Amino acid sequence: MKEEKILVIGANGQLGTELTKALQTAYKPSQVIATDIRPQSNPDADTCFEVLDVLDKEALTQTVRKHKITQIYHLAAILSAKGEENPILTWDINMKSLLHVLELARERQLDKVYYPSSIAVYGTKTPIPAPQWTVLNPSTVYGISKLAGEKWCDYYFQKYGLDVRSLRYPGLISHSAPPGGGTTDYAVDIFHKAVRQEPFACFLSENTRLPMMYMPDAIRATLELMHAPAEKITIHSSYNLGAIDFTPAEIAQAVKALIPEFEMHYQVNPLKQAIADSWADAIDDQVARQDWGWKPEYDLKSMVADMIANLKAKIALQA
Ligand code: NAD
């Protein structure tokens, strides 16, 4: 049987750091090639890492050839809030990189491609909870690029039979790597302040409800989708994926239940607030549940408890 060789692009980011580890466990460390435009800050002896700019198609082609890559997880992107600072650059990076990956996968007949989409594809006209098939009218360049990206993925499946799979992640919450400039980053930052007994200024208003997901659920969803038999996959644009939804006031209350001295106040950032207000605040993920058995494990309470325990353990190790 052919040995799978997996290329992760954008492996140093919030998602890539943990997905690379999970892929190394699901396969063998030597089967996973982690790449990023930034060098690794803490080189990991078990990880085969290379610096790669996905916009350099020649370098990407060489990497795929050299390692006999069979699957690509293309995670590199500029996220929502950061994207609004430079819309043209964001469009260029998000779209060009995906087209490089899809073209190379088609030319070299790779087995599979994974492309993360986002709740940023919904918009103010999307019904709530957001159905799988619905009005999508994103207002950020990030959301527009993810929607176009989804359509390109589906195009390569329909036209060339390329097995591209994708999930529309909610805001991801994790303790391993810092978030990369999204509108839901407050839900990670809050924990770092709380465990250090520092007050936290939240950049969204107290009743801003958004869909979120704890990283272990996101990683499991990704691997379950990618390992599902091809005949189970009915959507090659991107699957809706739900887990938890909460407001800043609700997460603050859950944190306070474990760290009673925690204090949060609101310092609303108008740009981030406008982005959050344009997104659906809950997701209908019935199709993912039916097609490949998706079911989240973490609710708000268990996610908060696990985040705090892990960050406290990290601080204790540093002391
Ligand atoms: P991140 O910003 O933390 O990481 C992105 C990584 O891509 C960074 O390490 C960056 O150095 C790398 N990168 C940027 N330009 C590159 C280039 N030209 N070549 C190679 N690498 C490059 O982002 P993340 O949170 O890990 O997100 C990963 C993916 O998941 C993205 O596509 C994002 O849109 C999607 N997503 C994330 C969230 C979330 O809440 N984190 C939610 C929905 C979707």
Side-chain angles (χ1 to χ4, degrees):
M1 219 172 80
K2 181 174 73 173
E3 184 175 76
E4 296 292 347
K5 274 306 254 321
I6 297 165
L7 180 67
V8 183
I9 300 170
N12 286 350
Q14 189 197 9
L15 175 64
T17 304
E18 303 211 24
L19 189 55
T20 300
K21 279 192 212 128
L23 285 165
Q24 286 176 330
T25 306
Y27 297 86
K28 285 187 289 196
S30 59
Q31 287 178 271
V32 182
I33 313 299
T35 66
D36 200 288
I37 197 167
R38 293 181 290 152
Q40 272 184 316
S41 48
N42 293 314
D44 179 345
D46 280 347
T47 304
C48 174
F49 179 85
E50 292 180 11
V51 170
L52 172 73
D53 178 358
V54 63
L55 297 184
D56 182 345
K57 175 114 191 267
E58 190 46 42
L60 175 65
T61 308
Q62 290 307 328
T63 306
V64 166
R65 255 203 214 123
K66 182 171 81 176
H67 294 288
K68 300 190 170 53
I69 295 298
T70 60
Q71 300 184 24
I72 299 182
Y73 285 65
H74 172 40
L75 313 179
I78 306 291
L79 273 65
S80 58
K82 220 168 164 193
E84 293 307 290
E85 291 166 16
N86 198 335
I88 302 299
L89 179 76
T90 301
W91 177 258
D92 216 36
I93 290 180
N94 292 5
M95 295 318 301
K96 231 189 218 170
S97 63
L98 175 63
L99 291 174
H100 282 175
V101 167
L102 291 175
E103 262 304 273
L104 191 59
R106 177 186 71 80
E107 286 161 10
R108 298 190 60 84
Q109 301 185 329
L110 301 193
D111 288 350
K112 277 180 204 164
V113 171
Y114 178 70
Y115 173 69
S117 186
S118 158
I119 54 169
V121 297
Y122 310 123
T124 49
K125 305 281 185 242
T126 306
I128 294 166
Q132 178 67 50
W133 297 107
T134 187
V135 178
L136 300 170
N137 64 323
S139 55
T140 57
V141 68
Y142 173 69
I144 300 170
S145 73
K146 286 294 179 188
L147 179 53
E150 290 185 5
K151 299 310 293 177
W152 273 112
C153 289
D154 194 48
Y155 183 86
Y156 269 73
F157 171 72
Q158 303 293 348
K159 192 158 172 110
Y160 306 117
L162 182 65
D163 188 353
V164 194
R165 304 182 185 191
S166 171
L167 296 171
R168 289 174 179 156
Y169 293 123
L172 300 179
I173 298 171
S174 65
H175 52 80
S176 285
T183 305
T184 53
D185 291 3
Y186 90 86
V188 178
D189 301 339
I190 188 174
F191 290 102
H192 289 269
K193 293 289 186 186
V195 294
R196 289 190 160 76
Q197 318 253 315
E198 291 172 15
F200 177 60
C202 182
F203 61 66
L204 295 182
S205 66
E206 63 180 313
N207 294 321
T208 309
R209 182 170 298 283
L210 284 173
M212 304 274 188
M213 180 174 282
Y214 196 31
M215 192 60 91
D217 270 342
I219 299 295
R220 190 169 50 78
T222 310
L223 295 186
E224 283 177 7
L225 171 76
M226 290 300 277
H227 292 155
E231 62 276 13
K232 296 266 185 204
I233 306 299
T234 62
I235 291 180
H236 288 271
S237 50
S238 195
Y239 277 99
N240 273 8
L241 191 72
I244 327 170
D245 54 81
F246 54 77
T247 65
E250 287 166 356
I251 190 174
Q253 201 179 12
V255 170
K256 238 172 143 50
L258 298 179
I259 305 178
E261 52 287 359
F262 174 63
E263 277 175 28
M264 180 165 99
H265 59 280
Y266 297 92
Q267 224 170 62
V268 172
N269 174 315
L271 171 75
K272 291 178 182 172
Q273 185 66 48
I275 296 175
D277 289 343
S278 74
W279 291 353
D281 57 25
I283 313 290
D284 175 349
D285 60 3
Q286 278 311 308
V287 183
R289 288 173 188 253
Q290 278 155 20
D291 281 5
W292 45 276
W294 166 240
K295 194 167 181 282
E297 273 176 12
Y298 285 86
D299 60 12
L300 178 58
K301 198 171 164 198
S302 53
M303 182 269 288
V304 167
D306 202 61
M307 276 295 284
I308 291 175
N310 275 287
L311 287 176
K312 278 189 171 167
K314 248 184 219 170
I315 290 174
L317 270 180
Q318 287 160 4

